[in-house]
Amino acid sequence: MPVPRRYQQGSIVWKDTANGKVAYGTYRADVRTAKGIERKQKKVRLGTRKELPTDSQARKKLIALIAEAEGGSPAPEKMTFGKLAELWQASDGPTLTKPTFDRYAVVLRTWLLPFWKDRTIQSITRNDIQLFLNSKASQYSKSSIRSMRLVLQMTLSFAHLNGWISIYPCVKIKTPRITNESRAVKRAEMTEQQKLNISARLQEPYSTLVLLLTRIPVRIEEAIGIKETDLDGHVLTICRVVYEGKVYDLQPNEQRKIPIMDMELLARLRKLGEGRAWAFQSRNRTPINPSNARRRFLKPAAKKLGLKLCGWHDFRHSLTTELRRNGTHPKVISDLLGHKKVNLAMDVYDRSNLQDFEQALGQVVGSQLLPSCDPKLNVQ
């Protein structure tokens, strides 16, 4: 039996229950919490009077439990998922960009906390998580379920790394095969000419904004944060984002340089930004509001051309597909988009269609014809 780190005897109390008298022991033990190792009181059930006929036997069992607790490593505190989510947001939230953090917070608030909030993280198993995602398949799209899985992975990985759970339960969690894609966001894939036609129908600065999104794969939050000083020759440095009216400077390792090969676009950007705080500036001398611009200008212009757009992000998706079809290396596409993972652009942004299949299969058809299966038609 291991030697206790601290000498204590604990206390025993007998309580009357439907099954007769039951002995409960109380003692203090080291517990691993979010703040570190803390000394906390623990209460355990020792047994019935039939199992422990004398007080001495109950005392011996409690001493054995105390010795085991004192001799081993501190046990993790019983933490709820709601508390874990709170700690994770406080710890990892500042390391994420504001748009990314807000998306994760919405996933937590909308889908995860209503189900998992009061569940202790020590009781969550891989099967529980898989069944939870399966139960959402009839209501939500594959993209939404992937978001649920991702945030569960991040929060429970955070708990595992901190030693609050001994086993990481998100191993090989799969997305259900059949999901409710009627609720999925359907991005419009536009041709080059369609995008230029939209630009031609808009007044400045929205016309140049559309042209910019047509030529380089920036996010709308990055585009509206561009200043004339971000241009060095024909190279544009993406060094800030504007999100919900607030400006966030990117860290040096998050910034990226993108060449602008369209000289007309380059001239337009310089003209719009000359002597102004922002290239895409509102009447109040602030960056334009992308939601208002989408509703008041972009969608009406697209509708007149017979196009149904979801929003500004459709341009980024379309350009990604064009780059792939032109044979651009996936690593180059990933870096242009500002992705940390190369396969993200291919898995999320790109889509193949019949034209892609015809082009790919057409390349394997050689000029030499196969011999006919009819021997009479074979020419020697």
Side-chain angles (χ1 to χ4, degrees):
M1 181 181 298
V3 179
R5 288 193 292 261
R6 294 183 178 90
Y7 178 77
Q8 62 170 320
Q9 291 185 328
S11 62
I12 295 175
V13 61
W14 290 90
K15 291 188 176 181
D16 291 321
T17 70
N19 297 320
K21 287 185 176 293
V22 176
Y24 290 89
T26 304
Y27 66 98
R28 299 184 68 82
D30 288 335
V31 176
R32 185 182 289 109
T33 70
K35 298 178 181 179
I37 305 301
E38 296 183 7
R39 196 77 170 166
K40 291 199 172 187
Q41 189 177 78
K42 297 197 71 175
K43 184 177 181 180
V44 293
R45 182 183 183 278
L46 298 175
T48 64
R49 179 63 81 177
K50 184 177 180 181
E51 296 166 332
L52 304 168
T54 66
D55 290 356
S56 177
Q57 289 176 311
R59 170 67 59 190
K60 287 180 180 179
K61 185 168 183 178
L62 178 59
I63 291 175
L65 291 174
I66 293 173
E68 183 180 350
E70 292 288 355
S73 59
E77 181 183 40
K78 287 188 176 180
M79 182 187 298
T80 64
F81 184 83
K83 181 62 176 179
L84 173 65
E86 179 184 327
L87 294 171
W88 174 74
Q89 290 181 90
S91 174
D92 287 11
T95 70
L96 304 169
T97 62
K98 188 66 166 55
T100 299
F101 175 74
D102 283 356
R103 283 196 293 272
Y104 294 159
V106 168
V107 172
L108 275 170
R109 183 172 62 251
T110 306
W111 295 315
L112 301 186
L113 288 177
F115 185 87
W116 298 101
K117 182 178 179 181
D118 297 324
R119 180 77 174 266
T120 59
I121 59 175
Q122 290 85 0
S123 68
I124 297 175
T125 66
R126 178 192 177 280
N127 188 55
D128 293 334
I129 296 171
Q130 188 66 69
L131 291 176
F132 167 75
L133 296 179
N134 293 349
S135 71
K136 300 297 182 182
S138 62
Q139 298 173 268
Y140 300 102
S141 68
K142 185 168 293 186
S143 175
S144 296
I145 294 176
R146 282 175 175 168
S147 296
M148 299 179 209
R149 182 184 67 181
L150 174 61
V151 178
L152 279 169
Q153 288 172 333
M154 289 189 295
T155 50
L156 292 170
S157 175
F158 173 72
H160 185 249
L161 290 172
N162 280 283
W164 302 331
I165 53 176
S166 57
I167 298 175
Y168 174 60
C170 297
V171 178
K172 295 184 179 180
I173 298 295
K174 298 179 181 179
T175 303
R177 289 182 60 190
I178 300 176
T179 53
N180 187 354
E181 294 309 303
S182 65
R183 298 188 61 170
V185 175
K186 294 178 174 60
R187 296 293 175 189
E189 184 179 321
M190 296 171 283
T191 65
E192 174 81 358
Q193 191 57 53
Q194 287 173 327
K195 288 184 281 188
L196 293 178
N197 289 343
I198 294 175
S199 176
R201 281 184 168 270
L202 296 173
Q203 296 181 347
E204 294 291 14
Y206 308 109
S207 176
T208 298
L209 178 59
V210 168
L211 185 58
L212 174 74
L213 298 174
T214 299
R215 293 290 184 247
I216 62 175
V218 291
R219 302 174 179 87
I220 188 63
E221 296 89 356
E222 297 169 337
I224 61 175
I226 291 174
K227 298 183 177 184
E228 196 272 337
T229 53
D230 298 332
L231 289 167
D232 183 7
H234 74 293
V235 177
L236 172 67
T237 300
I238 305 298
C239 52
R240 71 188 67 82
V241 297
V242 180
Y243 179 67
E244 294 184 345
K246 295 182 179 180
V247 180
Y248 299 90
D249 292 325
L250 298 175
Q251 297 299 315
N253 64 325
E254 297 174 325
Q255 298 178 10
R256 64 191 195 280
K257 296 181 181 295
I258 302 178
I260 296 180
M261 308 307 292
D262 186 328
M263 294 301 104
E264 179 185 350
L265 171 60
L266 189 61
R268 285 193 185 192
L269 284 174
R270 291 196 180 281
K271 183 177 180 180
L272 284 174
E274 187 177 4
R276 307 170 75 186
W278 309 96
F280 303 106
Q281 185 167 287
S282 69
R283 295 177 181 177
N284 297 327
R285 298 181 180 180
T286 60
I288 63 171
N289 184 313
S291 297
N292 288 342
R294 180 188 66 237
R295 183 180 67 256
R296 296 173 60 189
F297 304 108
L298 176 65
K299 285 194 171 183
K303 186 176 181 180
K304 289 179 180 178
L305 293 169
L307 298 173
K308 186 176 180 180
L309 299 185
C310 287
W312 298 107
H313 216 60
D314 291 7
F315 292 92
R316 185 169 160 91
H317 277 251
S318 294
L319 182 52
T320 301
T321 302
E322 289 175 27
L323 290 169
R324 190 262 301 165
R325 287 176 180 163
N326 292 335
T328 307
H329 193 281
K331 174 61 176 172
V332 176
I333 296 177
S334 177
D335 289 344
L336 279 171
L337 292 168
H339 288 166
K340 293 181 179 179
K341 295 182 179 179
V342 175
N343 65 332
L344 184 60
M346 302 299 105
D347 292 343
V348 178
Y349 282 74
D350 199 4
R351 293 291 183 272
S352 300
N353 59 19
L354 184 59
Q355 179 184 350
D356 296 316
F357 299 152
E358 290 175 344
Q359 181 179 353
L361 295 175
Q363 292 176 354
V364 302
V365 178
S367 58
Q368 185 175 358
L369 296 177
L370 291 172
S372 172
C373 60
D374 187 348
K376 296 180 181 179
L377 297 180
N378 287 335
V379 179
Q380 300 296 329

